[in-house]
Amino acid sequence: MTGCDVVLVTAAPLSKPDYLQPYPTTPRNLTANEVMRDLGGQLSTGTTIFGPGDAAYLNATKRWNILEVPDIQVVVQVGQESDVAKIVQYCNRKSIEFLAVNRGHSLSIYSMDKFKGIQIDLKQLTGITLQHHNKSAILQGGTYGINVISTLWDLGYVTPTGAHECVGYTGLALGGGHGRYEGLYGLASDNFIKLNTVLANGSTFQVSKTKHADLFWGMQGAGHQYGIVTSAEVKVYPREVDTWHYHNYYWSGDKLETLFERLNAFHGNGSTPVKMGVNFGSFTMNPKYSNTSATLWWSFVYAGSASEAEPYLRPFNEIEALDEEIGDVPYPQIPTVQGTDIASGGCEPTRKAFAHSLLQTYNVTTERAIYDSFNANVALYPELTQEGGPVIMHEGYATKAVEEAPDDSSAYAHRHEHHILYVLVNVPANSTLLEPAIQWTHSIRDLWDYGRRSAQYINYCNGDESLESIYGYEPWRLARLRGLKTRYDPSNRFRFHVPIRP
């Protein structure tokens, strides 16, 4: 079979599969028919197996960054959590590489392009169930941003998630998980209670503070290295408010110095008001205001009313704006207000040149230099303004609950960095400007990192960053992570997302 037809797994057993003898090398031309023959009878009803010729393949293998993509020979879209361990065991017997995927947002292009094998697709596992007198919820491995946000909100609860509607919950949380509720409740991974995990050898573990506590520590910030989480029990909290307040500003470039000075005062040394979930700010070309100079766009959101939020925003209200947008909406509508909803286009697959850095405070002089270089490069490379154009993004979170957790409480190493900054340049498919775009993004990262040790957020990493900048400069951190790798994944099966072992 060449993958032309989707194969639906039924409950009826097939003939005895030919998988009892291990294969010494990965099959070069693995097909959906072969996998169905060998494995199909063991999987749940509703599981589908298909290859590149099937109509479902493109959507199933779609990735946020298509600069470098894995070679997916066969997709197995699981119907139940128990299917995952069976697929991993099968791949081990056959010496086939496997890659677990939810929404495909990994940026780790320097290792992801080395993958060839089976995609274990979790997208059908979207169950969300409240537990234990509504103090926790079980989120299956295919849940994602708006799926979690809206379901829990309608039930009267919230939990920390990522800021974007389309990003998978589990993948984000295994890397720490920044989001609008972290000032109140910490990182997404800080709210793990129990992880149902399939290890590299196909065994299934419940991982928590009391069961495999060493692994639980590693899963909170470096979890992609150790297993596939088929579901997670996480803390939930009463939503407390019915609406969030938002205030979006559009400023011209001459306001840059005033803006960043006031942002530094606003955030202080991690003293951002805890209900001021995040402010997103960008340098982008907006032809409504200028065709030659980037507009400063900033969006503040607050878990409460305008009367509570606006006194905090008085310093920004005093800066003369080109335009403003103000309102109060239920929390599930906040991604739309901030341009992180599915319909915004931010989830669309493109070739992305990308670089980022974590910072404690903004360097006003550096931001001016970056703004000026942005305008100069847009003028030099107008082709790069297509497909959404380039953007310099500043994410400023409330960090109180993140910083209150002990530094050694999890594998996440950067609790005292307050901002995530990134530059993203969409490069058209047939463009010859990929190398200039990459050089541009790296030059901006170098400006952010000038004079300080680089700090990187694993979920935003390409894979060309140093391991210390991602996992921490304290020698014990990488030593502990590598010890866990030796114990739980000695064959290095999980090595395609920012690997700690090449």
Side-chain angles (χ1 to χ4, degrees):
M1 178 178 174
T2 61
C4 295
D5 299 306
V6 66
V7 183
L8 179 67
V9 176
T10 67
L14 303 181
S15 57
K16 185 176 181 179
D18 179 25
Y19 58 61
L20 296 179
Q21 297 298 320
Y23 282 35
T25 58
T26 301
R28 290 183 176 272
N29 297 300
L30 188 67
T31 67
N33 249 5
E34 178 184 349
V35 176
M36 178 62 186
R37 182 197 69 210
D38 292 349
L39 185 62
Q42 303 174 46
L43 303 180
S44 66
T45 301
T47 295
T48 53
I49 301 172
F50 51 89
D54 187 80
Y57 179 86
L58 286 179
N59 186 59
T61 58
K62 182 170 69 173
R63 305 189 66 80
W64 186 63
N65 191 359
I66 58 174
L67 187 59
E68 298 287 352
V69 296
D71 181 359
I72 306 298
Q73 295 175 293
V74 175
V75 176
V76 183
Q77 199 164 72
V78 300
Q80 294 181 11
E81 292 183 46
S82 58
D83 295 323
V84 175
K86 296 172 184 176
I87 299 167
V88 170
Q89 292 163 10
Y90 166 75
C91 288
N92 287 336
R93 290 192 295 267
K94 289 277 193 173
S95 298
I96 299 169
E97 301 288 4
F98 55 86
L99 182 69
V101 174
N102 181 357
R103 309 290 289 185
H105 275 77
S106 171
L107 277 161
S108 188
I109 57 174
Y110 291 101
S111 52
M112 199 63 69
D113 70 334
K114 297 176 177 61
F115 175 83
K116 180 178 182 179
I118 288 178
Q119 173 174 305
I120 303 175
D121 195 316
L122 306 176
K123 292 185 186 71
Q124 294 191 96
L125 303 181
T126 57
I128 298 174
T129 310
L130 285 177
Q131 299 286 305
H132 301 305
H133 306 290
N134 299 337
K135 292 183 179 180
S136 67
I138 293 177
L139 311 180
Q140 285 193 302
T143 54
Y144 57 97
I146 194 60
N147 167 226
V148 176
I149 291 169
S150 292
T151 300
L152 290 180
W153 183 267
D154 289 345
L155 293 170
Y157 295 90
V158 297
T159 196
T161 67
H164 211 298
E165 285 188 347
C166 64
V167 175
Y169 171 81
T170 306
L172 170 123
L174 290 174
H178 287 280
R180 297 181 183 95
Y181 270 108
E182 69 177 69
L184 289 166
Y185 307 125
L187 300 168
S189 61
D190 293 337
N191 289 274
F192 286 161
I193 297 173
K194 178 177 63 181
L195 304 174
N196 291 317
T197 306
V198 177
L199 299 184
N201 63 5
S203 61
T204 301
F205 279 15
Q206 280 194 351
V207 182
S208 68
K209 286 184 177 181
T210 58
K211 294 182 179 180
H212 310 289
D214 59 340
L215 181 58
F216 187 68
W217 179 90
M219 298 293 279
Q220 294 177 280
H224 314 88
Q225 304 294 322
Y226 304 112
I228 302 170
V229 174
T230 60
S231 60
E233 184 177 356
V234 303
K235 299 172 188 175
V236 298
Y237 307 89
R239 74 185 201 193
E240 293 187 348
V241 297
D242 292 326
T243 59
W244 277 51
H245 179 68
Y246 69 90
H247 197 149
N248 298 345
Y249 304 85
Y250 298 81
W251 288 298
S252 55
D254 61 307
K255 306 298 191 299
L256 183 145
E257 283 78 8
T258 301
L259 170 61
F260 279 98
E261 288 167 359
R262 296 189 181 188
L263 284 168
N264 280 338
F266 177 75
H267 287 289
N269 188 25
S271 57
T272 312
V274 293
K275 289 188 176 183
M276 192 68 71
V278 71
N279 61 84
F280 289 148
S282 67
F283 306 162
T284 53
M285 300 306 297
N286 188 329
K288 179 179 178 180
Y289 305 113
S290 174
N291 290 314
T292 57
S293 297
T295 299
L296 311 178
W297 173 84
W298 240 261
S299 174
F300 294 80
V301 294
Y302 182 88
S305 65
S307 61
E308 295 176 27
E310 284 298 323
Y312 292 118
L313 299 177
R314 189 171 294 116
F316 305 101
N317 293 335
E318 294 171 352
I319 306 173
E320 182 182 1
L322 299 168
D323 201 358
E324 299 178 54
E325 299 159 345
I326 308 173
D328 295 82
V329 296
Y331 180 61
Q333 295 179 31
I334 286 294
T336 301
V337 166
Q338 293 200 299
T340 62
D341 57 306
I342 290 176
S344 68
C347 291
E348 291 304 308
T350 57
R351 293 203 306 166
K352 295 175 174 71
F354 187 96
H356 84 287
S357 192
L358 301 178
L359 297 178
Q360 289 184 325
T361 189
Y362 295 119
N363 184 309
V364 179
T365 302
T366 296
E367 291 299 325
R368 168 55 67 185
I370 290 172
Y371 178 86
D372 290 343
S373 73
F374 182 92
N375 290 334
N377 277 288
V378 166
L380 185 62
Y381 304 117
E383 182 181 329
L384 296 179
T385 63
Q386 303 173 24
E387 297 192 12
V391 60
I392 311 290
M393 181 60 77
H394 308 74
E395 301 182 358
Y397 294 95
T399 57
K400 182 175 185 291
V402 178
E403 296 195 67
E404 286 178 343
D407 288 351
D408 62 355
S409 62
S410 75
Y412 186 79
H414 300 302
R415 291 186 177 275
H416 303 292
E417 304 289 350
H418 305 144
H419 310 310
I420 308 176
L421 291 75
Y422 68 80
V423 51
L424 185 157
V425 181
N426 289 311
V427 183
N430 297 319
S431 174
T432 60
L433 296 178
L434 177 59
E435 189 57 35
I438 291 174
Q439 291 177 2
W440 180 11
T441 62
H442 287 185
S443 71
I444 291 175
R445 181 175 65 190
D446 290 343
L447 285 170
W448 281 325
D449 289 344
Y450 181 75
R452 69 190 303 271
R453 286 196 309 192
S454 176
Q456 310 289 332
Y457 177 37
I458 184 173
N459 290 340
Y460 284 12
C461 285
N462 290 317
D464 62 339
E465 305 85 353
S466 75
L467 292 179
E468 290 79 7
S469 71
I470 302 167
Y471 296 111
Y473 288 93
E474 305 95 324
W476 64 266
R477 283 190 175 275
L478 273 171
R480 186 171 179 180
L481 291 170
R482 286 169 174 149
L484 291 172
K485 192 71 170 174
T486 299
R487 180 175 182 182
Y488 291 103
D489 183 17
S491 298
N492 203 21
R493 296 291 259 160
F494 298 110
R495 64 181 185 279
F496 299 105
H497 179 75
V498 198
I500 58 173
R501 186 186 299 168

